Amino acid sequence: MGTIVQFKVYGKNAEKATQAAVKEVSNIEKKMSVNIKTSEISKLNAKAGVSGEKLSTDTYSVIEKSVQYSKLTGGALDATIEPIVSLWGIGTDKERLPSKKEIDEKLKFVNYNDIILDKKNSTVKLKRMNQAIDLGAIAKGYTADEVKKVLLNNKISSAIINLGGNVYALGNKPDGTSWNIGVQNPLSTRGEYLGSISATDKSIVTSGNYERFFIKDGIRYHHIFDPKSGYPANKGLISTTIVSDKSIDGDALSTSTYILGLDKGLKLVESMKGVEAIFITNDKKIYVTPGLKDNFDLTNKEFTYEKGR
Ligand code: ADP
Ligand code: MG
């Protein structure tokens, strides 16, 4: 998945459960990765504009969910972003700043309405040649949910699933108290926290511009793209954290609220039941939704709460 995967699993069955969980991660990756030539997604992309690809229920459901979120977010999340992702190549040895002309050329292929879903046959087709799907914004969330199921099936009731910052806190700590999940400080490198969230049976997912990026002429170009422009999203946020029951929702929402920006992002999250958020702006202000306030502990004084929030 192009990231570090870490499990902390407690209980008698932990060893066996962890092995099953690792296997689940690689099974999903084999189906959904754009970087694996034999994956279902690669096959589907190769047939764009020609024919559909029959998919496993796993892959089908993730694409379907992605389309639902595209509709909900007015196209902020769009799995057909792949031509733009490849053009920029951020995080690969081909990363570069493309010309506006190149970007506009690729942007023509980005449109989630061209994902043709056939649920009865579990088949997906991309309408036009050169279109391609990338599930990078949502697949880790789905994977966390599936890993959780594997652990539960193996009688585990206390664990942390961490797929490169996409975290699920299963049950409580072995001592019976809630887990404390660190919230990444978006201004420093991975593993430095600005605070923590106390959580039991919750998903905590953060998207930010610190994850994968390059800097050219003082400008940071990162890996979360605005499908309207084809450029990295730049609506004043540097990180978005979503707390939810299901990690697929958290993953979809952290990426899309990042793209939508503070006002629209907050509005969206506040309209959804059981979803809480922490948004951090360029000027180091923190917005926390009311339902999360009591469970969030801000420790880094560099960041300040926005008044009224
Ligand atoms: P991370 O991979 O850092 O956890 P995200 O969940 O925010 O971050 O997903 C970012 C990834 O999603 C990118 O690397 C890219 O593959 C894909 N992506 C980028 N922009 C979009 C978008 N607007 N809609 C859907 N997927 C996107
Ligand atoms: Mg995401």
Side-chain angles (χ1 to χ4, degrees), residues 137-138 207 251-252 254-255:
I138 185 168
S207 288
D251 200 2
S254 68
T255 307

Side-chain angles (χ1 to χ4, degrees), residues 27 84 109 125 128 133 135 138 143-144 223-224 239 246 250 276 281 291:
N27 282 343
I84 292 288
F109 302 119
K125 184 187 169 190
R128 294 177 283 144
I133 283 178
L135 296 176
I138 185 168
T143 307
H223 73 310
I224 300 173
S239 89
K246 287 185 73 183
E276 303 296 337
T281 60

Side-chain angles (χ1 to χ4, degrees), residues 75-79 81 85 134-138 140 164 205-208 211-212 223-227 251 254-255 259:
L77 194 81
D78 190 330
I81 197 81
V85 174
D134 173 342
L135 296 176
I138 185 168
K140 276 188 288 192
V205 182
T206 299
S207 288
E211 196 75 44
R212 261 175 279 158
H223 73 310
I224 300 173
F225 295 100
D226 188 335
D251 200 2
S254 68
T255 307
I259 295 162

Side-chain angles (χ1 to χ4, degrees), residues 21-77:
V22 170
K23 206 166 158 201
E24 182 67 16
V25 173
S26 73
N27 282 343
I28 295 173
E29 185 173 28
K30 273 181 209 144
K31 289 180 194 170
M32 300 188 200
S33 172
V34 275
N35 302 316
I36 297 174
K37 282 226 155 50
T38 53
S39 75
E40 294 179 11
I41 293 298
S42 295
K43 287 182 190 161
L44 160 61
N45 289 344
K47 291 180 182 170
V50 180
S51 60
E53 174 73 14
K54 198 169 170 62
L55 304 170
S56 61
T57 45
D58 275 357
T59 308
Y60 186 90
S61 71
V62 175
I63 295 176
E64 190 181 38
K65 185 62 107 181
S66 176
V67 172
Q68 283 167 12
Y69 271 103
S70 296
K71 290 177 182 157
L72 189 68
T73 61
L77 194 81

